[in-house]
């Protein structure tokens, strides 16, 4: 069966390494803060000016003034720093973020990402995504594999306005973990109970399958 949002966050959290500075985008990526593996030190950065973000607060811990870039209340871990968004974007643009986890509407086989605009719908803006895809060399896109009508979101070519070109190398969906290599999605792992054939049927872009494909465990 397809992964839940929480399981997607758990799988992405396995990519965190000791000493990493990590930016978590809005949506599913924010949940990664709850699943940092024990025994490693990771500093989570938010573009509104927080370095050292902790997990989401309990009801007793909620501080309405302590928020992430998506305006969700968060906690600050020991050693956290609070500063202006100017300094935060200087970190991002200077290439000082080791890993960025972003939500996406579409990703294609060239590593292009569309994550901010659907024609005909009201959009407040791109936020920090454009800076993150330009300044972070290591990005994981997290997204649903297909839309509600079954249309694939992993495409040969993105159809929506792009956030960035050629910047995505890894994609985690509710069905699979894939890497982008030589103009194709390479299937690395599949969600529990999801077959390779189902993933193939729901992937519009070129898909390369190198057996065996590992089933994720939780």
């Amino acid at each position: 069966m397809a992964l839940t949002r929480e399981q997607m966050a758990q799988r992405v959290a396995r990519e965190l390494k000791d000493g990493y500075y990590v930016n978590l985008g809005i949506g599913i990526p924010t949940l990664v803060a709850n699943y940092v593996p024990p025994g490693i030190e990771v500093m989570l950065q938010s573009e509104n000016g927080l370095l050292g973000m902790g997990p989401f607060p309990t009801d007793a811990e909620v501080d309405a003034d302590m928020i992430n870039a998506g305006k969700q209340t968060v906690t600050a871990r020991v050693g956290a720093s609070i500063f202006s968004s100017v300094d935060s974007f200087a970190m991002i643009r200077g290439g000082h973020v080791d890993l960025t986890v972003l939500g996406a509407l579409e990703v294609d086989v060239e590593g292009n990402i569309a994550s901010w605009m659907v024609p005909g719908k009201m959009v407040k803006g791109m936020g920090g995504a454009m800076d993150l895809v330009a300044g972070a060399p290591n990005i994981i896109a997290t997204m649903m594999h297909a839309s509600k009508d079954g249309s694939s979101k992993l495409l040969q070519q993105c159809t929506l306005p792009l956030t960035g070109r050629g910047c995505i190398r890894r994609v985690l969906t509710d069905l699979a973990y894939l890497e982008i290599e030589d103009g194709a999605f390479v299937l690395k792992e599949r969600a529990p109970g999801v077959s390779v054939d189902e993933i193939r049927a729901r992937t519009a872009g070129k898909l390369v399958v190198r057996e065996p494909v590992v089933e994720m465990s939780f």
Side-chain angles (χ1 to χ4, degrees):
M1 60 185 293
L3 300 180
T4 65
R5 290 163 59 90
E6 296 287 345
Q7 287 175 319
M8 292 174 71
Q10 284 180 268
R11 175 59 188 86
V12 171
R14 296 175 190 172
E15 301 301 311
L16 302 177
K17 307 296 182 185
D18 192 39
Y20 265 15
Y21 291 88
V22 181
N23 183 285
L24 302 177
I26 296 170
I28 294 169
T30 61
L31 300 175
V32 175
N34 293 332
Y35 297 103
V36 176
I40 70 171
E41 291 289 328
V42 172
M43 293 295 277
L44 301 179
Q45 192 250 23
S46 180
E47 57 262 39
N48 61 322
L50 174 61
L51 180 65
M53 200 162 39
F56 284 117
T58 63
D59 290 342
E61 295 173 324
V62 169
D63 178 349
D65 293 322
M66 181 66 68
I67 60 173
N68 62 18
K71 297 182 174 58
Q72 297 169 300
T73 53
V74 295
T75 58
R77 52 167 291 180
V78 174
S81 296
I82 297 172
F83 37 81
S84 83
S85 60
V86 172
D87 295 315
S88 183
F89 277 99
M91 292 177 62
I92 293 167
R93 293 167 183 166
H96 303 294
V97 175
D98 298 298
L99 173 65
T100 294
V101 185
L102 290 177
L105 298 170
E106 294 179 346
V107 172
D108 69 25
V109 297
E110 298 300 324
N112 301 324
I113 178 174
S115 67
W116 71 283
M117 181 180 179
V118 178
K121 292 191 177 181
M122 177 119 167
V123 179
K124 294 181 179 179
M126 191 178 289
M130 184 171 62
D131 299 270
L132 287 162
V133 298
N138 186 11
I139 304 169
I140 300 176
T142 60
M143 59 193 296
M144 295 296 109
H145 207 100
S147 60
K148 292 180 180 179
D149 66 3
S151 301
S152 180
K153 295 186 175 186
L154 274 62
L155 306 174
Q156 195 65 24
Q157 183 175 23
C158 288
T159 62
L160 297 174
L162 295 183
T163 308
R165 291 183 178 275
C167 52
I168 305 300
R169 291 291 172 268
R170 296 186 285 171
V171 183
L172 188 282
T173 76
D174 56 328
L175 301 183
Y177 170 70
L178 311 99
E179 296 183 359
I180 298 174
E181 301 175 11
D182 301 322
F185 295 107
V186 180
L187 181 59
K188 297 291 186 178
E189 301 175 21
R190 56 189 174 86
V194 175
S195 69
V196 172
D197 286 341
E198 181 178 354
I199 295 167
R200 185 180 283 112
R202 294 190 177 216
T203 306
K206 181 181 178 181
L207 180 69
V208 173
V209 179
R210 299 168 183 158
E211 298 287 358
V213 177
V214 177
E215 182 176 283
M216 299 177 202
S217 60
F218 293 92

